[in-house]
Amino acid sequence: MANSKERREARYQRRKSQREQKAQEAGGKSFEEVISFENLCRAGKACCNGARWKTSTINFETNLLAESLKTYNELHDGTRKFQGFRSFSTIEHGKRRDIDALSIQERAAQKCLCKNLLTQAYSRSFIYDNSASLAEKGMDFQLKRLKKHLHDHYRKYGTEGGIYQFDFKGYFGSLPHDKIKERARAKIKDDRLYALFCDFVDDFQKMKTADKTAEYKRGVWLGSEISQIIALDYASPIDHYVKDVRGIHGYGRYMDDGYAISNSLDELEDIKKNLYRLAEEMGIAMSDKKNIITPFRHHSFAFLKMRVTLEESGKVTMKLSRKSIKAMRRKLNIFRRWVDEGKLNPEDVFQSYQSWRAHAKRCNSYDTLRAMDEKFTGLFEAELAARKKRFPCTMKATKTAAGWIYRRHGLLGEEEKDR
């Protein structure tokens, strides 16, 4: 009769066997299953979402079947030739940024590989709180998890302890290609799919911003779907170290921004020291400026452009960072000038501001949002009045013969005052 130790070992072996079988099913798809004509059409269609104002997107979607068939034939015949990056520069907040952009044909091929193989094969090993670029996850999910972790901590320890936040230095640009491929080989079973994945990774070396003088190939493109899944996976050993080895409940990572919560500042110092060691072993570097430990008492901390505070009462408040507010105010002034000069369509301004508002609404910053809405409606009063639909904001909108009029709630117009 088996003793308890033997039964535990038997259960462990059964679970291990089940995990290996599921991993085989996730990464064991054939080239024909993944790179099918139907999958390429769906991936191409998905790439058009949110970019149908571009001429290249319009042309691609108009000839979607022909473009998908061409990509299908090239991938199956082994005649694919990388079209290269389209490089250009922009000025953002007074700082020059070099951009490398992929053609929509290349993005469709990458999306096809990700949607039908990589996401499932890679995400099986992710911790629950690794939350960027995955279905039903994202920034909202990560902020909710942070709130939950802070509330859980408060119920046990109050405001004792603090939070350790870490960030990597030039994360996407520093990922080593040899180790990326080594990790992929364990997940992608089909040789042709693995070869295609390696081709996509090698293409990143042709970016204008890539360091071609480095001894080893490094770096992936920030906007690529394959890059996103690579970046999520590459720091997984750090996730499992903090969650599994150190047993930290309050831990999460959003791409290259992570945090660990503990009631002991000494424990956080030890975790910080070990993460530096692990990062060095993995061939990436920590950012000294952004690796900080913040006590909860009488302090707040910034996470995902928000100022977060765990108050003595246990309430968690999240407010917009001052940098985000100042940046948006500058943008609105620039947009006003560009609209006047004919460089920008007013609807593009409305879409950009609405996107910022969606982020701002996540915070406890109603007064700030109202002040920004007041500035926005004042700057673009004529353009907003001419719209058919009301612009959703905190201002009171009234439909008149001259168009929409926006003003703060509780403020009366001149006609109403006279009455």
Side-chain angles (χ1 to χ4, degrees):
M1 186 174 178
N3 57 32
S4 59
K5 185 177 180 181
E6 292 171 341
R7 288 196 298 271
R8 283 198 300 270
E9 178 65 23
R11 287 195 296 271
Y12 167 73
Q13 291 299 334
R14 286 197 298 271
R15 290 195 300 269
K16 183 180 178 182
S17 177
Q18 290 171 358
R19 285 196 299 270
E20 290 174 352
Q21 183 180 352
K22 289 180 180 178
Q24 180 65 34
E25 291 172 358
K29 294 180 181 179
S30 67
F31 189 89
E32 288 73 17
E33 286 179 284
V34 175
I35 310 298
S36 67
F37 178 70
E38 182 181 2
N39 287 344
L40 284 167
C41 286
R42 288 177 176 172
K45 191 75 173 176
C47 283
C48 297
N49 295 336
R52 287 186 170 87
W53 54 273
K54 296 182 180 179
T55 303
S56 58
T57 304
I58 295 170
N59 293 336
F60 175 80
E61 191 168 21
T62 303
N63 302 290
L64 179 62
L65 295 179
E67 292 283 2
S68 300
L69 181 60
K70 180 184 177 183
T71 303
Y72 175 86
N73 290 333
E74 289 176 349
L75 294 177
H76 279 259
D77 297 343
T79 57
R80 170 186 176 267
K81 291 184 179 179
F82 180 53
Q83 299 178 21
F85 290 91
R86 296 170 186 175
S87 302
F88 57 93
S89 299
T90 63
I91 304 296
E92 186 174 323
H93 306 321
K95 183 178 179 181
R96 177 191 171 96
R97 290 187 62 195
D98 294 319
I99 307 295
D100 293 298
L102 276 175
S103 67
I104 192 168
Q105 289 84 357
E106 290 289 342
R107 289 193 289 112
Q110 289 193 13
K111 184 176 282 290
C112 180
L113 183 62
C114 284
K115 292 295 183 184
N116 298 286
L117 177 72
L118 297 186
T119 300
Q120 184 182 2
Y122 273 78
S123 62
R124 288 194 66 262
S125 62
F126 293 170
I127 64 169
Y128 182 69
D129 290 301
N130 182 356
S131 58
S133 303
L134 295 174
E136 299 181 4
K137 292 188 177 182
M139 187 178 290
D140 286 329
F141 173 85
Q142 187 61 74
L143 292 172
K144 286 178 182 176
R145 291 296 294 171
L146 173 59
K147 265 191 174 180
K148 184 181 186 306
H149 290 152
L150 290 172
H151 285 143
D152 291 347
H153 176 87
Y154 183 84
R155 279 192 288 270
K156 281 188 174 182
Y157 308 107
T159 56
E160 183 183 351
I163 184 169
Y164 163 52
Q165 294 172 267
F166 64 87
D167 197 350
F168 303 105
K169 186 176 181 180
Y171 184 54
F172 279 80
S174 65
L175 297 179
H177 288 193
D178 56 342
K179 292 187 178 180
I180 289 172
K181 294 175 183 178
E182 183 182 329
R183 292 181 66 84
R185 180 72 278 193
K187 304 178 191 303
I188 305 173
K189 310 303 178 183
D190 185 276
D191 291 339
R192 293 177 68 190
L193 288 173
Y194 175 70
L196 178 61
F197 173 85
C198 291
D199 287 343
F200 285 143
V201 173
D202 290 336
D203 291 340
F204 295 132
Q205 193 62 21
K206 299 172 185 175
M207 295 186 297
K208 182 181 178 181
T209 54
D211 184 4
K212 299 178 177 60
T213 62
E215 184 179 357
Y216 301 103
K217 293 181 179 179
R218 288 179 175 272
V220 295
W221 179 50
L222 199 62
S224 163
E225 193 159 346
I226 283 183
S227 298
Q228 301 290 323
I229 199 71
I230 288 171
L232 286 174
D233 171 72
Y234 198 78
S236 276
I238 286 177
D239 299 340
H240 287 286
Y241 169 76
V242 179
K243 291 289 278 190
D244 302 336
V245 178
R246 302 303 296 256
I248 299 295
H249 167 67
Y251 173 85
R253 179 168 65 89
Y254 188 86
M255 204 56 73
D256 58 342
D257 292 317
Y259 64 84
I261 297 170
S262 173
N263 64 313
S264 170
L265 298 181
D266 291 335
E267 181 180 29
L268 294 179
E269 286 286 358
D270 189 56
I271 291 173
K272 178 180 178 180
K273 181 182 70 175
N274 280 281
L275 291 201
Y276 267 80
R277 175 183 57 81
L278 284 172
E280 186 178 358
E281 292 173 0
M282 294 164 62
I284 53 179
M286 288 289 193
S287 172
D288 293 333
K289 184 179 179 181
K290 296 181 180 180
N291 274 255
I292 52 177
I293 295 174
T294 307
F296 287 135
R297 286 177 184 165
H298 314 300
H299 291 85
S300 62
F301 60 92
F303 184 69
L304 298 181
K305 296 184 179 180
M306 294 192 186
R307 178 59 54 181
V308 185
T309 306
L310 176 60
E311 300 178 0
E312 291 291 340
S313 62
K315 181 181 178 181
V316 176
T317 59
M318 294 185 175
K319 296 190 176 183
L320 281 172
S321 67
R322 290 182 180 180
K323 286 184 179 179
S324 176
I325 299 168
K326 288 180 179 179
M328 195 63 222
R329 293 182 73 88
R330 285 195 299 267
K331 275 187 179 181
L332 289 178
N333 292 328
I334 293 170
F335 288 162
R336 177 67 268 175
R337 188 171 71 248
W338 284 355
V339 169
D340 291 340
E341 295 172 356
K343 293 181 179 179
L344 194 64
N345 188 297
E347 285 299 326
D348 292 335
V349 177
F350 302 154
Q351 185 175 357
S352 175
Y353 182 66
Q354 192 61 41
S355 176
W356 180 86
R357 286 192 85 257
H359 173 70
K361 285 170 69 176
R362 299 182 175 110
C363 313
N364 309 106
S365 301
Y366 179 80
D367 290 339
T368 299
L369 191 58
R370 186 175 62 179
M372 289 296 293
D373 284 344
E374 189 172 0
K375 177 180 176 65
F376 172 74
T377 54
L379 282 173
F380 297 94
E381 183 178 359
E383 290 79 7
L384 288 167
R387 293 182 97 231
K388 291 183 179 180
K389 294 183 178 180
R390 171 187 176 273
F391 185 84
C393 63
T394 58
M395 309 294 285
K396 182 179 180 181
T398 307
K399 183 72 170 178
T400 68
W404 290 101
I405 296 176
Y406 295 83
R407 61 177 181 270
R408 288 178 62 177
H409 286 273
L411 296 182
L412 297 177
E414 293 299 325
E415 294 180 2
E416 294 175 70
K417 285 182 181 179
D418 293 339
R419 291 177 191 174

